[in-house]
């Protein structure tokens, strides 16, 4: 078999970065030799069912070695379309393909039938508004080439705005546009002249340099087709009840979304109110997950427990911090021992918390905090590194660390980015520093993801040994290196391989200095940490285990209720 041209075997990293890490089924149109699918299956999601459609038989033969199913032919062939199952795929991929089609508008519209409701399309499309097109036109050239923007096989030409119309008018809604920019230093001069000409010609709309800098745009759109989940398919109904909205993302909002993606699972979320009537009308297993409930009135709580029992549901207490520490911070008594004893079971995040809760309830499980969205690993080898620290309710230890590392950060010309902890920010004597108020979770991850090094100091204050290693998981998923205390993080981070573990306070500055001095070492550790999260800490792997545990608990609900009555005799009179 002859060697294929490189455009059949290349992997577009921007396209790969946009692909969700938990897709069940992907359809790639123009899959070439299957390089993108092979990379996705090998490094991001090996559990995905990956289909390809490829017009060139030689390329398709290669793709069949990597992908689960490859269909040979043109996507514009009606007979081929009939082979592709309807309402089946979660993700649709076009890597530099739509511009080769006679009717890309019809193809996008027709393929909506093959996608599940809420699915996404990710497409890379050449940008006809690129500065080089203008330069060639000014010299009178419109010359087709073997590849690139003027590929002789291109039938359609798009700008960013017409790409958006292409999707928005044919069953999709564009969510994001990511530019792919090459040779930016050369391009800046030409683009500056183009923008100046636009202004002289009287254009009123706001200039966007990327419209002229981008060689290609990666468009991400979501189908407007609604998600459908037949009522009769539901085999377990979960009410995720949130009592602490400020701490809901990692242990409530994101798990709820992840569990809802499992076939047969329906999740209803509520805030400070258990949906008893909705649960009552469902005949199968029904689970109430109460996240950090606050109980100020004991009688009301006991009545709620009895009501849950009376509709044949079970209550699981979700808690990822030591209750005593929460009460100390909040300055009130939330009757946590009562909640622990009256719950059918407890789910938590660390071994230390599990052992603590086992003293009052023998049905406790540890579900480690996980990564819910794993971007493709991005290299960060810049000289002027960024350092991240974010925390709430930390003591003097972390503030001492801020002072200790400041001279090193300043000497290297690095910047410091601090979320929430104003005292840490004030203690750091760094000229280039920025403070962020407590951010929404996605914004928090974005700030962290823009940094190279993440600091996670714990000084052993009351309750800290019960904390989870979530900051390490978050930082690693975003391609950053973690420097952390041995407390909590010592069992997760392999020192010197996937991060740095600190045993003695005076070693913080040395660790920061070593990573700021050596970008290659920083890169290697970050990649090892990212790979650990990919292999060990993805929620897509944990979600089925959660559902199975819920079903097992519900099957033993009578025995569990008997245990509850033993622990809380007052419930006998409330039943």
């Amino acid at each position: 078999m002859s060697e294929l041209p490189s455009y059949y075997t290349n992997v577009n990293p921007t396209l790969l970065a946009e692909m969700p890490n938990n897709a069940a089924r992907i359809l790639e149109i123009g899959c070439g030799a299957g390089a993108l699918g092979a990379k996705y299956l090998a490094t991001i999601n090996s559990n995905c069912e990956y289909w390809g459609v490829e017009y060139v038989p030689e390329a398709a033969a290669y793709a069949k070695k990597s992908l689960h199913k490859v269909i040979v032919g043109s996507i514009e062939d009606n007979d081929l379309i009939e082979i592709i199952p309807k309402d089946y795929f979660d993700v649709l991929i076009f890597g530099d393909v739509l511009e080769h089609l006679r009717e890309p508008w019809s193809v996008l519209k027709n393929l909506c039938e093959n996608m599940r409701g809420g699915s996404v399309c990710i497409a890379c499309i050449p940008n006809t508004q690129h500065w080089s097109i203008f330069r060639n036109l000014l010299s009178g050239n419109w010359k087709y080439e073997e590849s690139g923007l003027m590929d002789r096989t291109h039938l359609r030409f798009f700008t960013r705005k017409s790409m958006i119309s292409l999707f928005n008018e044919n069953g999709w809604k564009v969510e994001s546009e990511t530019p792919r920019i090459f040779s930016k230093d050369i391009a800046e001069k030409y683009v500056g002249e183009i923008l100046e000409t636009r202004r002289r010609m009287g254009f009123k709309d706001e200039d966007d340099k990327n419209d002229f800098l981008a060689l290609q745009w990666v468009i991400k759109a979501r189908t407007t087709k609604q998600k459908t989940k037949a009522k009769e398919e539901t085999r377990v109904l979960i009410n995720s009840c949130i009592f602490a909205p400020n701490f809901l993302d990692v242990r409530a909002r994101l798990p709820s979304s992840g569990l809802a993606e499992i076939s047969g699972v329906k999740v209803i979320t509520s805030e400070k109110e258990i949906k008893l009537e909705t649960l009552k009308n469902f005949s199968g297993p029904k689970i109430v997950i109460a996240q950090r409930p606050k109980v100020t009135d004991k009688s009301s709580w006991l009545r709620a427990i009895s009501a849950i029992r009376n509709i044949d549901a079970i209550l699981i207490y979700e808690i990822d911090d030591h209750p005593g520490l929460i009460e100390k911070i909040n300055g009130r008594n939330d009757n946590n021992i009562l909640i622990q004893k009256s719950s059918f079971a407890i789910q938590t995040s660390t071994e230390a918390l599990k052992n603590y809760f086992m003293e009052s309830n023998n049905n406790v499980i540890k579900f480690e905090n996980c990564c819910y969205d794993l971007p493709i690993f991005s290299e960060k080898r810049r000289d002027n590194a960024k350092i991240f620290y974010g925390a709430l309710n930390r003591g003097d230890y972390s503030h001492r660390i801020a002072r200790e590392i400041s001279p090193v950060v300043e000497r290297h010309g690095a910047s410091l980015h601090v979320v929430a902890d104003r005292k840490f920010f004030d203690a750091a004597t760094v000229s280039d520093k920025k403070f962020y108020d407590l951010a929404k979770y996605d914004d928090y991850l974005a700030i962290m993801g823009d940094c190279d090094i993440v600091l996670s100091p714990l000084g052993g204050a009351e309750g800290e040994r019960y904390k989870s290693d979530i900051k390490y998981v978050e930082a690693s998923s975003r391609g950053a290196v973690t420097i952390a205390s041995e407390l909590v993080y010592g069992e997760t981070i392999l020192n010197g391989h996937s991060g740095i573990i600190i045993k003695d306070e005076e070693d913080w500055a040395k660790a920061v200095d070593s990573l700021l001095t050596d970008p290659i070492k920083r890169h290697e550790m970050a990649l090892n940490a990212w790979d650990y999260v990919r292999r060990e800490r993805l929620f897509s792997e944990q979600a089925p285990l959660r559902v199975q545990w819920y079903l097992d608990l519900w099957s033993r609900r009578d025995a569990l209720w008997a245990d509850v009555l033993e622990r809380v005799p007052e419930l006998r009179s409330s039943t």
Side-chain angles (χ1 to χ4, degrees):
M1 188 177 289
S2 59
E3 186 175 344
L4 293 168
S6 62
Y7 51 79
Y8 286 113
T9 57
N10 289 338
V11 173
N12 182 330
T14 313
L15 203 63
L16 186 64
E18 292 290 340
M19 295 168 68
N21 70 328
N22 59 349
R25 303 183 186 99
I26 292 177
L27 173 63
E28 182 183 354
I29 308 302
C31 65
L36 179 68
K39 185 75 171 178
Y40 177 84
L41 293 169
T43 64
I44 296 178
N45 180 11
S46 61
N47 296 320
C48 176
E49 181 182 334
Y50 204 112
W51 288 42
V53 175
E54 176 51 48
Y55 182 73
V56 178
E58 292 84 0
Y62 276 106
K64 287 179 179 178
K65 298 177 182 179
S66 304
L67 310 186
H68 296 92
K69 185 172 180 64
V70 178
I71 302 171
V72 183
S74 169
I75 194 60
E76 295 189 278
D77 183 338
N78 289 332
D79 290 338
L80 183 146
I81 285 281
E82 291 302 316
I83 299 174
I84 303 174
K86 306 293 184 187
D87 198 31
Y88 191 72
F89 297 96
D90 308 293
V91 181
L92 176 63
I93 302 291
F94 291 96
D96 296 285
V97 169
L98 288 167
E99 65 275 12
H100 294 271
L101 304 178
R102 297 188 305 274
E103 287 292 329
W105 304 273
S106 299
V107 168
L108 276 173
K109 196 168 196 174
N110 292 339
L111 282 174
C112 286
E113 293 299 314
N114 305 96
M115 309 307 294
R116 298 171 61 201
S119 58
V120 296
C121 178
I122 306 167
C124 185
I125 308 173
N127 176 29
T128 309
Q129 201 174 346
H130 190 254
W131 63 269
S132 64
I133 298 286
F134 286 85
R135 188 184 64 176
N136 289 336
L137 284 172
L138 288 171
S139 64
N141 289 326
W142 185 269
K143 184 180 178 182
Y144 289 102
E145 299 171 346
E146 292 304 314
S147 61
L149 286 174
M150 296 303 296
D151 189 314
R152 64 179 66 255
T153 63
H154 288 184
L155 300 179
R156 301 296 182 183
F157 299 88
F158 299 96
T159 65
R160 178 180 62 85
K161 290 180 181 178
S162 62
M163 294 175 200
I164 293 172
S165 298
L166 169 66
F167 284 89
N168 287 354
E169 295 171 7
N170 292 285
W172 303 85
K173 178 66 176 175
V174 171
E175 292 186 340
S176 65
E177 314 115 46
T178 304
R180 299 195 78 212
I181 299 172
F182 302 89
S183 304
K184 188 173 181 179
D185 292 342
I186 298 172
E188 288 280 4
K189 179 180 71 172
Y190 291 102
V191 172
E193 296 291 340
I194 292 171
L195 295 178
E196 180 60 31
T197 301
R198 287 183 85 253
R199 287 190 283 273
R200 289 175 181 173
M201 295 179 70
F203 285 95
K204 301 296 185 184
D205 55 316
E206 185 177 346
D207 292 331
D208 188 340
K209 285 174 43 173
N210 286 339
D211 281 335
F212 301 95
L213 288 172
L215 186 73
Q216 301 158 309
W217 286 94
V218 172
I219 304 294
K220 185 174 183 180
R222 195 168 297 276
T223 179
T224 55
K225 179 180 179 181
Q226 297 297 310
K227 283 188 178 183
T228 55
K229 209 177 207 182
K231 188 174 180 179
E232 59 269 22
E233 290 181 355
T234 302
R235 62 188 179 94
V236 56
L237 180 60
I238 299 173
N239 178 196
S240 178
C241 188
I242 297 161
F243 287 86
N246 290 334
F247 302 92
L248 65 87
D249 293 285
V250 173
R251 299 297 296 187
R253 178 177 67 84
L254 293 171
S256 294
S257 298
L259 292 171
E261 292 298 317
I262 298 177
S263 178
V265 177
K266 182 176 181 180
V267 181
I268 52 174
T269 57
S270 58
E271 190 170 312
K272 301 178 183 179
E273 178 189 7
I274 297 169
K275 295 293 186 179
L276 291 171
E277 284 302 316
T278 304
L279 293 164
K280 180 180 179 181
N281 294 328
F282 179 68
S283 58
K286 36 206 172 188
I287 316 295
V288 177
I289 302 175
Q291 178 252 359
R292 287 199 183 190
K294 301 178 181 68
V295 176
T296 55
D297 181 58
K298 181 177 179 180
S299 299
S300 297
W301 177 255
L302 294 178
R303 286 195 296 271
I305 297 295
S306 296
I308 291 169
R309 167 61 179 171
N310 290 338
I311 61 169
D312 208 24
I314 63 171
L315 174 77
I316 297 171
Y317 177 28
E318 156 60 45
I319 178 73
D320 69 337
D321 224 331
H322 193 286
L325 184 60
I326 297 173
E327 289 184 352
K328 183 178 180 180
I329 293 169
N330 293 337
R332 63 168 177 263
N333 181 359
D334 289 334
N335 289 295
N336 278 292
I337 296 299
L338 173 65
I339 298 170
Q340 295 164 38
K341 290 183 175 181
S342 59
S343 299
F344 286 67
I346 300 172
Q347 63 182 39
T348 191
S349 57
T350 72
E351 196 66 27
L353 283 171
K354 177 183 175 181
N355 293 335
Y356 166 77
F357 289 122
M358 287 286 286
E359 296 176 6
S360 56
N361 189 319
N362 58 358
N363 290 291
V364 185
I365 197 168
K366 177 187 73 175
F367 289 126
E368 289 182 310
N369 283 321
C370 288
C371 172
Y372 296 85
D373 175 27
L374 183 67
I376 194 69
F377 181 78
S378 59
E379 295 190 12
K380 300 175 183 177
R381 301 195 190 193
R382 55 194 169 198
D383 293 329
N384 297 326
K386 298 180 179 181
I387 300 174
F388 175 93
Y389 171 85
L392 280 172
N393 306 311
R394 297 294 163 85
D396 291 338
Y397 178 80
S398 62
H399 308 149
R400 293 200 303 273
I401 301 307
R403 290 188 288 271
E404 182 179 331
I405 67 170
S406 291
V408 174
V409 176
E410 190 74 11
R411 187 174 72 249
H412 282 276
S415 58
L416 185 63
H417 300 257
V418 179
V419 175
D421 192 336
R422 173 63 74 173
K423 290 183 178 180
F424 184 98
F425 179 81
D426 292 338
T429 56
V430 177
S431 56
D432 189 357
K433 61 180 181 177
K434 187 173 181 179
F435 181 78
Y436 307 81
D437 289 321
L438 188 61
K440 292 182 179 178
Y441 190 64
D442 291 342
D443 295 335
Y444 165 85
L445 289 180
I447 297 166
M448 179 184 280
D450 190 42
C451 293
D452 306 80
I453 300 170
V454 172
L455 307 177
S456 293
L458 293 172
E462 182 182 359
E464 285 189 341
R465 72 183 181 90
Y466 295 98
K467 289 189 173 297
S468 83
D469 59 2
I470 181 60
K471 277 194 174 60
Y472 173 69
V473 174
E474 293 165 341
S476 302
S477 73
R478 265 53 193 174
V481 187
T482 297
I483 304 175
S485 297
E486 186 175 30
L487 181 67
V488 171
Y489 297 95
E491 294 183 6
T492 305
I493 296 175
L494 294 178
N495 190 29
H497 176 77
S498 56
I500 296 181
I501 290 295
I502 302 296
K503 294 184 178 181
D504 299 315
E505 187 173 326
E506 59 270 19
D507 290 335
W508 279 94
K510 297 176 187 176
V512 172
D513 183 56
S514 70
L515 291 182
L516 290 177
T517 302
D518 192 345
I520 295 176
K521 177 182 178 182
R522 211 164 61 217
H523 165 79
E524 291 174 350
M525 285 191 190
L527 181 57
N528 292 335
W530 180 89
D531 187 58
Y532 162 76
V533 171
R534 179 186 64 83
R535 290 182 289 103
E536 305 287 343
R537 301 294 285 273
L538 293 181
F539 186 76
S540 56
E541 300 289 328
Q542 187 189 98
L545 303 178
R546 288 201 184 204
V547 174
Q548 190 54 52
W549 188 62
Y550 300 153
L551 291 172
D552 177 66
L553 289 175
W554 192 80
S555 71
R556 298 186 290 114
R557 60 196 180 280
D558 291 339
L560 294 178
W561 179 246
D563 291 342
V564 170
L565 294 178
E566 285 294 319
R567 294 192 296 264
V568 189
E570 303 99 302
L571 277 168
R572 297 182 188 277
S573 58
S574 301
T575 306

